[in-house]
Amino acid sequence: MEQLKKVFGLTMIALFTCYTIMAQDDEQISGEPVTITATYDGFTSNSYSFTFINGEGEEESIFFDYATDEVLKAFDLKSKKLEGKKFEVTYEETTETEEDEEGEELEYTKTTIISLKQLN
């Protein structure tokens, strides 16, 4: 039962991340860096949350599961001090696969912040 919860959780995170990224720009190729201007919302549930204005002029949230060591050394993203601050966020997506206990492959998109520049 515990393993089923883990698989379900990973699947939900992967689906939500994929949806968020695809909604932002359907033409981006996995692995190609993307830069957006976004407001930092904070660190919750093991992900870094930002809000940005998408191509249709609507506010949208994006969640990053990872950040490079350089980004984490420069910014304490787990601190509440940076919440509400505006950043230029450069990130990349990579598609990865994992094998579950039953031998089935699970594919998910890993989003990583590779550069962060505070704007205000």
Side-chain angles (χ1 to χ4, degrees):
M1 185 62 152
E2 184 67 31
Q3 292 176 2
L4 182 59
K5 287 180 184 179
K6 288 180 184 177
V7 170
F8 179 75
L10 283 173
T11 302
M12 293 306 296
I13 289 170
L15 288 173
F16 186 77
T17 302
C18 289
Y19 170 77
T20 302
I21 301 305
M22 287 174 28
Q24 179 187 348
D25 188 355
D26 291 334
E27 297 178 11
Q28 290 297 328
I29 299 171
S30 182
E32 188 176 309
V34 178
T35 301
I36 60 172
T37 298
T39 301
Y40 186 57
D41 296 326
F43 182 79
T44 57
S45 301
N46 295 322
S47 63
Y48 308 100
S49 173
F50 288 82
T51 304
F52 69 101
I53 304 299
N54 66 20
E56 297 173 4
E58 297 175 2
E59 188 172 89
E60 190 172 321
S61 293
I62 186 168
F63 301 91
F64 300 96
D65 302 314
Y66 304 95
T68 62
D69 288 340
E70 293 80 18
V71 168
L72 295 176
K73 285 178 186 173
F75 297 97
D76 182 8
L77 293 175
K78 292 185 180 178
S79 161
K80 298 216 179 274
K81 181 175 80 169
L82 296 174
E83 290 179 7
K85 301 292 184 185
K86 196 168 268 208
F87 289 89
E88 180 180 274
V89 183
T90 303
Y91 67 94
E92 65 183 6
E93 309 171 307
T94 53
T95 302
E96 298 192 1
T97 56
E98 282 186 2
E99 196 171 292
D100 65 12
E101 287 75 28
E102 297 166 0
E104 300 212 15
E105 287 189 359
L106 301 173
E107 189 173 286
Y108 65 95
T109 301
K110 176 180 167 182
T111 54
T112 303
I113 301 171
I114 57 174
S115 174
L116 200 58
K117 178 180 175 187
Q118 189 170 347
L119 300 177
N120 68 352

